[in-house]
């Protein structure tokens, strides 16, 4: 097979041109920060002055692209490419963990205070550097007017960063966070447009920020939130959501679980099927989909087939680290 040679951090590396740069480097035991390998988390950025595939820069901010950043999981190697690892100062700022609070099921709420300038749109996500430098993404549940950044984190049984972050003893610790990323947020304009928001588990976090932002921007079209989980214990913050719905005439909230519960009258089934059966025609609607990647992928297609314009479907799949 024809190999191509690239230079990474000064080392010449012979690469399989059919694999991504990230996979080539991982195959050769190079330590490269990454998580999803699907272009969602933006943790695998590196720098080059070589021309790259637009797909590998599309999700990045223009300021990062100008500095030569691209996603190594979305780029195949080209002969003669010279690459360097990202500079931590370009990507991360310090933040303090103000509190870690157990909510329900496996979900914790983490409040952060950035110690440097941090600008964001409600619904975007930030990346957090874990104990050994692993980087993972978390969506922002707060709105910029809030004093602190609010995150909802599912604690994964064997998860490196989520278990580290959900430790209440970490309150007061300094951590490193990236700037805010992603385009799943509320754009002011068309305040009369109907909005459908579907989230599974902590997919609620960005949707909560988006709803609060829309309300603050005077959105008066109907807003319908569907929150789904496997079982009741995944439907956290119901009291907060009920209060918000009581205060907001145009907001309706519906819940669904895969498992039936005697304690609650949630609809039973996939939350996306429940939502789309009640709202079969999405012409002129704005649709937000966050959480389980399978749900996001399938519902994007279904929303499009239900007549939502592609430009009105905004999504954040919570891709987990992949070892494939
Ligand atoms: C854009 C985006 C937004 C996101 N927003 C959020 C959010 O708001 N809230 C949230 O909670 N998450 C969110 N995520 C997911 C988050 O980034 C992390 O992927 C998640 O917290 C898991 O990271 P971890 O380091 O704890 O797990 P990892 O160490 O990365 O492990 C990944 C998975 O593998 C399993 N695993 C690991 N080791 C083993 C083992 N030895 N045996 C069996 N299983 C194993 C873990 O249990 C976990 O399920 C988001 C992801 C993306 C891409
Ligand atoms: S975007 Fe490349 S690993 Fe997630």
């Amino acid at each position: 097979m024809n190999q191509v040679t690239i230079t990474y951090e000064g080392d010449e590396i012979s690469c399989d041109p059919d694999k991504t740069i990230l996979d080539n480097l991982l195959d050769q035991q190079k330590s490269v920060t990454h998580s999803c390998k699907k272009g969602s988390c933006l943790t695998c950025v590196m720098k080059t002055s070589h021309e790259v595939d637009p797909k590998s820069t599309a999700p990045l901010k223009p300021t990062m692209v100008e500095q030569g950043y691209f996603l190594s999981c979305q780029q195949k190697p080209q002969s003669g490419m010279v690459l360097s690892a990202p500079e931590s100062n370009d990507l991360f700022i310090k933040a303090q963990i103000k509190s870690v609070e157990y909510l329900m099921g496996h979900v914790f709420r983490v409040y952060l205070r950035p110690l440097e300038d941090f600008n964001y749109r409600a619904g975007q996500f930030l990346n957090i550097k874990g104990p050994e430098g692993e980087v993972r993404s978390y969506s922002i549940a707060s709105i910029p007017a809030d004093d602190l950044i609010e995150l909802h984190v599912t604690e994964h049984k064997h998860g490196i960063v989520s278990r580290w972050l959900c430790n209440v003893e970490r309150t007061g610790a300094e951590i490193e966070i990236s700037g805010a990323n992603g385009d799943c947020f509320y754009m002011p304009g068309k305040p009369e447009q109907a909005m459908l928001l579907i989230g599974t588990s902590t997919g609620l976090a960005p949707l909560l920020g988006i709803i609060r932002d829309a309300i603050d921007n005077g959105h008066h079209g109907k807003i319908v939130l569907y929150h789904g989980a496997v079982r009741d214990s995944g439907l956290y913050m119901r009291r907060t959501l009920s209060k918000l719905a009581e205060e907001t005439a145009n907001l309706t909230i519906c819940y669904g679980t895969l498992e039936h519960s005697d304690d609650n009258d949630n609809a039973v089934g996939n939350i996306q099927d429940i939502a789309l059966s009640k709202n079969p025609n999405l012409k002129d609607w704005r649709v937000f989909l966050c959480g389980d990647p399978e749900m996001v992928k399938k519902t994007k297609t279904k929303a499009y087939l239900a007549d939502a314009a592609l430009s009105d479907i905004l999504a954040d799949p919570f891709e987990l680290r992949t070892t494939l």
Side-chain angles (χ1 to χ4, degrees):
M1 187 203 314
N2 284 339
Q3 295 284 102
V4 297
T5 304
I6 63 169
T7 307
Y8 175 70
E9 290 288 275
D11 291 341
E12 282 207 348
I13 297 180
S14 173
C15 292
D16 176 344
D18 294 329
K19 287 186 172 179
T20 65
I21 290 177
L22 177 64
D23 280 336
N24 271 291
L25 293 174
L26 294 176
D27 282 352
Q28 306 204 23
Q29 320 305 323
K30 296 283 177 196
S31 158
V32 183
T33 304
H34 68 283
S35 181
C36 72
K37 293 191 179 177
K38 295 197 175 129
S40 296
C41 70
L42 318 189
T43 59
C44 64
V45 284
M46 50 183 67
K47 255 179 166 178
T48 186
S49 53
H50 213 92
E51 200 171 317
V52 289
D53 186 336
K55 190 175 149 210
S56 74
T57 53
L60 298 177
K61 287 183 195 151
T63 47
M64 289 189 74
V65 180
E66 274 162 29
Q67 292 175 76
Y69 281 109
F70 69 98
L71 297 176
S72 60
C73 74
Q74 300 298 311
Q75 178 68 44
K76 303 252 173 80
Q78 295 160 21
S79 187
M81 266 184 152
V82 179
L83 312 173
S84 53
E87 286 156 37
S88 199
N89 289 347
D90 285 353
L91 301 184
F92 291 94
I93 63 164
K94 298 246 182 281
Q96 187 184 33
I97 299 183
K98 291 304 286 181
S99 69
V100 180
E101 219 179 285
Y102 175 66
L103 288 178
M104 201 172 164
H106 297 285
V107 181
F108 287 70
R109 174 158 54 187
V110 178
Y111 281 106
L112 303 177
R113 181 183 297 290
L115 300 176
E116 296 168 45
D117 281 349
F118 183 84
N119 299 310
Y120 68 97
R121 311 288 296 253
Q124 286 191 299
F125 68 92
L126 52 77
N127 286 336
I128 292 185
K129 210 184 259 190
E132 307 287 337
E134 314 80 354
V135 181
R136 303 282 184 267
S137 312
Y138 295 96
S139 298
I140 305 174
S142 46
I143 59 173
D146 291 340
D147 190 32
L148 300 172
I149 296 176
E150 175 181 340
L151 309 176
H152 302 165
V153 181
T154 301
E155 187 182 37
H156 289 262
K157 197 170 172 199
H158 300 284
I160 300 172
V161 179
S162 62
R163 279 192 309 144
W164 173 81
L165 206 51
C166 293
N167 180 348
V168 289
E169 288 172 16
R170 195 137 281 114
T171 302
E174 261 189 29
I175 60 168
E176 288 183 78
I177 63 170
S178 74
N181 290 303
D183 53 11
C184 186
F185 53 76
Y186 178 80
M187 276 299 273
K190 297 199 190 168
E192 71 295 342
Q193 194 175 20
M195 283 173 41
L196 174 66
L197 305 98
I198 308 176
T200 53
S201 186
T202 43
L204 175 64
L207 300 182
L208 188 56
I210 289 166
I211 291 171
R212 290 184 58 211
D213 198 27
I215 296 168
D216 278 6
N217 275 285
H219 196 94
H220 54 78
K222 68 174 167 183
I223 304 175
V224 193
L225 168 67
Y226 282 84
H227 188 207
V230 175
R231 56 190 71 85
D232 259 2
S233 59
L235 298 176
Y236 64 96
M237 283 181 71
R238 274 182 87 142
R239 226 172 298 157
T240 309
L241 292 175
S242 300
K243 189 161 174 283
L244 189 63
E246 273 165 29
E247 293 164 358
T248 316
N250 55 330
L251 173 64
T252 312
I253 303 178
C254 311
Y255 300 97
T257 46
L258 288 178
E259 291 176 8
H260 168 77
S261 155
D262 288 331
D263 300 332
N264 274 307
D265 55 358
N266 310 322
V268 177
N270 281 323
I271 196 66
Q272 66 273 25
D273 294 341
I274 296 165
L276 292 176
S277 67
K278 299 273 181 206
N279 304 279
N281 183 352
L282 298 177
K283 188 168 165 47
D284 297 330
W285 283 61
R286 222 181 296 187
V287 180
F288 295 89
L289 308 167
C290 297
D292 175 52
E294 272 302 295
M295 181 284 282
V296 169
K297 196 171 145 205
K298 286 185 184 152
T299 316
K300 238 179 169 176
T301 310
K302 287 185 179 173
Y304 178 66
L305 294 175
D307 258 356
L310 265 186
S311 55
D312 275 337
I313 306 175
L314 299 147
D316 251 343
F318 286 9
E319 303 281 359
L320 296 178
R321 171 178 57 118
T322 168
T323 47
L324 298 176

